[in-house]
Amino acid sequence: MVLVQPGFDASDIHTNTDRFCDECRQMASITGLSFHRRFSKPGLAGESTMPRRGLMNWRDAPDPKCALCGFLNSELNRGPGEYLFGRVGVDIKGFALPGDAAAKFTDVLRPPVDPASDVVYDKARKWIKTCCSSHKQCRVTGQDGQSFLPTRVIDVGLDDGDALKLHVSAENEQAEYACLSYCWGGGQFKSTCANLEDLTAEIPGASLSQTVADAAEVTRRLGLRYLWVDALCIVQDSDEDKAKHIYTMGAIYKNSTVTIAAATASAASHGFLRAPREPLPTAVVNLPLPNGDIGPVHLTLEELTRQGPWRGKSYHPLDQRGWCLQEHLLSPRLLYFSHWNVEWHCQHGDVQFVYDDLFGKVKSTTPNSFRLEPGIFGAASLGDVAARTYHFGRTHIRLNLWRRIVEDYTGRGLTVPSDRLPALAGITRELEWAWQDECVFGVWKSLAASLLGWQATKRSTRSGMAPTWSWASVSGSVRLAICDRSHNTELELGRISFDGGVQGGLGVAEPGQESGSDFPRLTLTGKVIEPQPENIHTPEESVAWRFDLDEPIFRHEVSHLLLDYHSNLVDRQKRTEMRCIAIRKIEDGVYERVGVVNYEYKRGVLEEDTPWLKLVKEASKVRIQLV
C-alpha cells in the first residue's frame, strides 16, 4: 500500500544505490540505527519503530551525487547564516503529523501552543505561585514579601477595558510587577519630557506598540497590576534619566515577579500573542515504513525542537539581541513565548513547558544550565552571599561563567555600538556585589591574569569603547580563551594592577575616543619576548598568530607577552604549549595589544630546546603597561 504526500520521493532509497549515499540510506533504515533506542507500541508486535532521538552527527558534508543530501541541504538551511553541513553535531529529528502513515512508528508533532489561550495562563499562574512560595533560590536578595517598585511602571488596571497609565512610584512603594524583554526593531511610542505628565493620566491605546499591548494583556491575565517597559518607563530624551536606569537595570529585572519574553517578535509593532509565527522548518520525505507502506516522514534539525534561550542555536529574534542577555539572566523567573511553545524558566529545576514536549511525550527534561551564581538570588545579606559562594565562587567556576557570558553576549547584535559595555552593566554590577570584586572594562581585577588571552573570532576594528587589553576594545564576537594558571609552570605572569580612572563608573568611553587616551592602563610584570626574524621557528614547531584588527600587522614588529606555559610527557615525547598575547610598542615600557600567539612543540625527552624556547626561558621579567 502506498500513502504518498507531496514531498521528496525516497521510496527506492534502499534499492537505488546510484541515487542515494550510504549515510542517507542508513538514516532512512529502521534496522540500521541500532545505536539508538527503539520503541514498540501496543498491538504492533514485531514491528520496529523509527528512532525517537535525533540522528547524532548525521553528516559532515553533502554527497554531490546524493539526491536526498541536496534536498535536505536546501530545505533545512532556513536560519540567517545557518548551514546544515560542515558543523559538529548535526542532529536530524524525524516525526509524523496526526493521521500520517508513519504516525504509529514515530513521534507525532503536536500543534503549536496558542499563546493567547487560557491553558497558558492557568499553568503560568501555578508556576509563579509555586516558585514564589517554595523556591528559596528564586527569591530576590533582601526581599521580604513584595519588591520595591521601579521609579515608574505601567498600571495595566484590573480589567481588559481599563486604560493604561504611567504610575510614578512613591518612595519605598512595594508591589509585584512584571518586566518586558522585547526587540524594539525601529521606532515606537515612547515617553519624553514633553508627554510624561500626560502619560500619568492615560497612555493612548492607539499609539501603543502591539508588543507592549500584548505584554499588558499578559500581565493582567497573570494577576499582576504593574508592568515595566523601558520605552515608557524611562524618559527617552533625557540622558540623565537613561543613565540612572542603565545603572539600576539589573535590580529592576532582578526584583520583578516575572519577566515576559516576547521571543518571536522582531519589532515592537509585530506583537507576540496573535501574530503569525514561523512554522517548524521541515523536509518532507516519503520513505519505506516497517509494515511495507510508503509514507511521509518529516525531518528537521533537532536543535530547532529545543527552542529557547541558551539551548542550541536559537532562531528567535530576541535571542540575537545584546540587551536581552542580562534581562534573561537577571530575571528570577522568565515566561518565554517561543514559536511553538511557552516556556517557564526559574532558578530552580529544569525548564518547563505548557506542552511538556512538542512530540507528545509525558515529560521532557530540558536543564537550564546557564544561570548566574546562587548568591545573586536567594540571599538575605552579604554574609549569606559569602556563605553561598564559598563553593560556587571558586575561581574556575567564576571564569567559566564569565567566559560563557562574554561569548554569548558578543555573538549578539546591538543597534547602538556604544552599548557594548552598558548592556552588560546590570550583570557586572550584581556579580561585583556577589563576588566582592571589581569589573573594569569587562575584565575582573582578581581574574585579569586568566582573562587576557581572549581572541576575536575574526579580524575587526577598534570599538573605541575600551583599552586594547579588554575584549570590549574590538567589535564583533570574541572567544574568551582562559589562561591556565593551575599548572606548576616554569614561567608565570607577574603582578597585575590597574592605573587610571573608569569613565562614568561603567567603563564606557565616548565613541571615537582614541585608544589609550583616557583609559586606565594595565600595569603588569611578565616575560616579554621582543620581535624575532621569521625563520626562528623550526618546522617541528606549530605557531599560530591571530591578530585582532583588520589592518596590516607585521610579525617582525610584534612582541610577545607570555601568559601561560606548561610541558608534559605524551607517548615518550615532551609536549610544550604556551600562550602569549601579541603586543606592539608605543613607547618605552608602553604597549598596545594586537592579538594572540599560540605555540606548540613536541620533542624527545633528551632533545635540546629550540631557539624559540631558549629565548623564552632566558627572557627576564620586565614591568610594562598595556593601554
Side-chain angles (χ1 to χ4, degrees):
M1 182 178 181
V2 178
L3 301 171
V4 178
Q5 288 187 1
F8 183 85
D9 181 17
S11 57
D12 58 343
I13 193 167
H14 300 314
T15 58
N16 193 335
T17 57
D18 294 332
R19 189 178 177 215
F20 302 103
C21 64
D22 291 340
E23 285 81 359
C24 281
R25 280 200 300 278
Q26 183 187 29
M27 182 185 68
S29 173
I30 305 307
T31 59
L33 295 167
S34 58
F35 51 89
H36 288 294
R37 181 180 176 186
R38 286 175 291 177
F39 295 77
S40 295
K41 298 236 179 181
L44 297 176
E47 289 187 339
S48 300
T49 66
M50 299 190 70
R52 295 204 174 238
R53 298 183 60 189
L55 311 183
M56 301 296 292
N57 298 314
W58 169 57
R59 285 300 306 265
D60 291 327
D63 187 329
K65 298 180 181 179
C66 177
L68 185 52
C69 273
F71 177 70
L72 293 179
N73 196 36
S74 64
E75 290 297 299
L76 297 183
N77 288 347
R78 301 291 183 86
E82 284 300 302
Y83 49 94
L84 175 60
F85 297 99
R87 293 184 300 174
V88 175
V90 176
D91 306 344
I92 300 294
K93 172 72 178 180
F95 64 91
L97 298 181
D100 282 351
K104 58 184 178 180
F105 303 112
T106 187
D107 291 326
V108 178
L109 183 70
R110 282 187 173 185
V113 173
D114 178 1
S117 63
D118 289 338
V119 66
V120 171
Y121 302 96
D122 290 342
K123 274 205 170 184
R125 286 190 296 269
K126 290 178 182 177
W127 285 329
I128 292 174
K129 182 178 179 180
T130 300
C131 184
C132 290
S133 62
S134 60
H135 294 172
K136 272 188 175 183
Q137 60 269 57
C138 302
R139 293 175 186 167
V140 177
T141 301
Q143 179 178 332
D144 182 14
Q146 296 178 330
S147 302
F148 292 109
L149 284 176
T151 304
R152 305 176 195 92
V153 287
I154 300 171
D155 184 347
V156 302
L158 300 175
D159 301 316
D160 290 343
D162 291 347
L164 306 185
K165 59 184 179 181
L166 201 60
H167 173 79
V168 180
S169 307
E171 187 176 358
N172 295 329
E173 183 177 358
Q174 291 183 308
E176 293 183 310
Y177 66 94
C179 284
L180 175 63
S181 178
Y182 69 119
C183 296
W184 278 42
Q188 62 168 313
F189 183 69
K190 303 182 286 285
S191 66
T192 63
C193 294
N195 69 8
L196 187 61
E197 186 174 351
D198 293 339
L199 297 183
T200 60
E202 182 177 349
I203 299 173
S207 303
L208 210 58
S209 70
Q210 189 58 53
T211 295
V212 177
D214 286 351
E217 178 182 339
V218 172
T219 302
R220 279 195 212 102
R221 295 178 72 175
L222 293 177
L224 303 176
R225 179 72 181 265
Y226 298 111
L227 170 67
W228 189 89
V229 180
D230 55 2
L232 293 168
C233 299
I234 301 175
V235 181
Q236 295 297 320
D237 59 355
S238 168
D239 291 338
E240 180 181 355
D241 201 61
K242 286 196 287 187
K244 171 188 172 184
H245 282 87
I246 286 176
Y247 186 71
T248 60
M249 190 80 74
I252 290 172
Y253 280 90
K254 194 179 81 168
N255 285 278
S256 66
T257 301
V258 64
T259 292
I260 301 162
T264 59
S266 59
S269 59
H270 293 173
F272 62 94
L273 285 186
R274 297 172 181 86
R277 289 176 292 164
E278 291 290 331
L280 182 66
T282 58
V284 182
V285 181
N286 288 292
L287 292 171
L289 301 176
N291 60 0
D293 291 345
I294 304 296
V297 175
H298 299 255
L299 302 177
T300 189
L301 298 182
E302 172 78 7
E303 63 186 25
L304 293 180
T305 69
R306 298 177 285 109
Q307 285 291 278
W310 320 306
R311 296 198 308 281
K313 173 68 176 176
S314 175
Y315 283 69
H316 293 110
L318 189 63
D319 296 326
Q320 314 305 319
R321 177 175 173 259
W323 279 95
C324 87
L325 177 63
Q326 73 170 11
E327 294 169 2
H328 292 182
L329 285 179
L330 289 171
S331 298
R333 304 167 197 91
L334 186 73
L335 192 62
Y336 186 92
F337 288 83
S338 72
H339 283 305
W340 310 298
N341 219 325
V342 177
E343 306 178 8
W344 172 259
H345 300 251
C346 72
Q347 309 306 306
H348 173 86
D350 299 331
V351 180
Q352 298 184 63
F353 303 86
V354 169
Y355 283 170
D356 287 329
D357 192 273
L358 286 173
F359 301 97
K361 296 177 184 177
V362 176
K363 178 65 177 175
S364 173
T365 302
T366 306
N368 182 359
S369 59
F370 194 6
R371 291 180 174 132
L372 296 180
E373 291 219 38
I376 302 297
F377 304 98
S381 67
L382 189 57
D384 195 9
V385 169
R388 286 175 178 273
T389 59
Y390 177 76
H391 172 73
F392 293 100
R394 289 180 301 180
T395 297
H396 74 279
I397 295 180
R398 291 173 59 190
L399 285 169
N400 285 328
L401 174 61
W402 191 243
R403 174 190 57 78
R404 188 165 183 183
I405 288 172
V406 170
E407 291 182 355
D408 187 312
Y409 172 71
T410 57
R412 299 169 182 242
L414 290 168
T415 304
V416 181
S418 60
D419 285 345
R420 190 159 174 88
L421 284 167
L424 270 188
I427 289 177
T428 55
R429 177 172 161 80
E430 294 299 326
L431 289 177
E432 282 181 336
W433 185 82
W435 288 348
Q436 288 295 279
D437 201 353
E438 184 180 355
C439 188
V440 183
F441 289 96
V443 177
W444 293 92
K445 271 193 171 182
S446 68
L447 306 175
S450 298
L451 295 175
L452 293 178
W454 59 267
Q455 62 187 47
T457 57
K458 58 182 179 180
R459 291 192 178 191
S460 57
T461 56
R462 293 276 193 223
S463 69
M465 303 296 130
T468 66
W469 45 263
S470 165
W471 56 264
S473 65
V474 296
S475 58
S477 60
V478 167
R479 178 176 174 265
L480 199 63
I482 296 171
C483 298
D484 190 348
R485 314 300 300 166
S486 63
H487 287 280
N488 183 19
T489 59
E490 299 176 41
L491 307 172
E492 296 181 357
L493 192 64
R495 185 177 67 85
I496 294 180
S497 62
F498 291 91
D499 294 333
V502 179
Q503 308 264 338
L506 290 174
V508 182
E510 294 298 325
Q513 183 180 29
E514 290 295 326
S515 296
S517 58
D518 294 313
F519 291 132
R521 294 185 175 190
L522 179 61
T523 303
L524 49 86
T525 301
K527 288 198 169 187
V528 176
I529 298 90
E530 297 300 336
Q532 301 296 327
E534 291 285 337
N535 60 359
I536 192 171
H537 297 290
T538 66
E540 294 80 14
E541 294 173 292
S542 169
V543 185
W545 284 268
R546 292 184 64 91
F547 294 112
D548 303 330
L549 306 179
D550 189 15
E551 64 178 54
I553 299 175
F554 300 101
R555 294 175 185 173
H556 65 271
E557 298 177 345
V558 174
S559 302
H560 301 153
L561 173 65
L562 184 67
L563 294 181
D564 65 5
Y565 170 107
H566 64 273
S567 296
N568 53 14
L569 292 176
V570 179
D571 296 331
R572 297 184 181 182
Q573 282 190 315
K574 192 173 184 181
R575 177 176 176 177
T576 300
E577 295 180 359
M578 69 176 70
R579 187 171 355 189
C580 305
I581 55 174
I583 54 177
R584 188 163 54 185
K585 182 182 286 188
I586 296 177
E587 57 186 69
D588 286 345
V590 181
Y591 295 80
E592 65 173 344
R593 181 206 145 106
V594 294
V596 293
V597 183
N598 294 306
Y599 170 94
E600 183 177 333
Y601 177 61
K602 294 180 182 178
R603 65 194 190 280
V605 176
L606 300 178
E607 289 182 34
E608 295 184 0
D609 290 336
T610 66
W612 169 252
L613 280 175
K614 288 180 181 179
L615 272 176
V616 173
K617 289 188 175 183
E618 293 171 0
S620 58
K621 291 184 179 180
V622 295
R623 182 182 174 88
I624 66 169
Q625 286 187 326
L626 293 181
V627 297

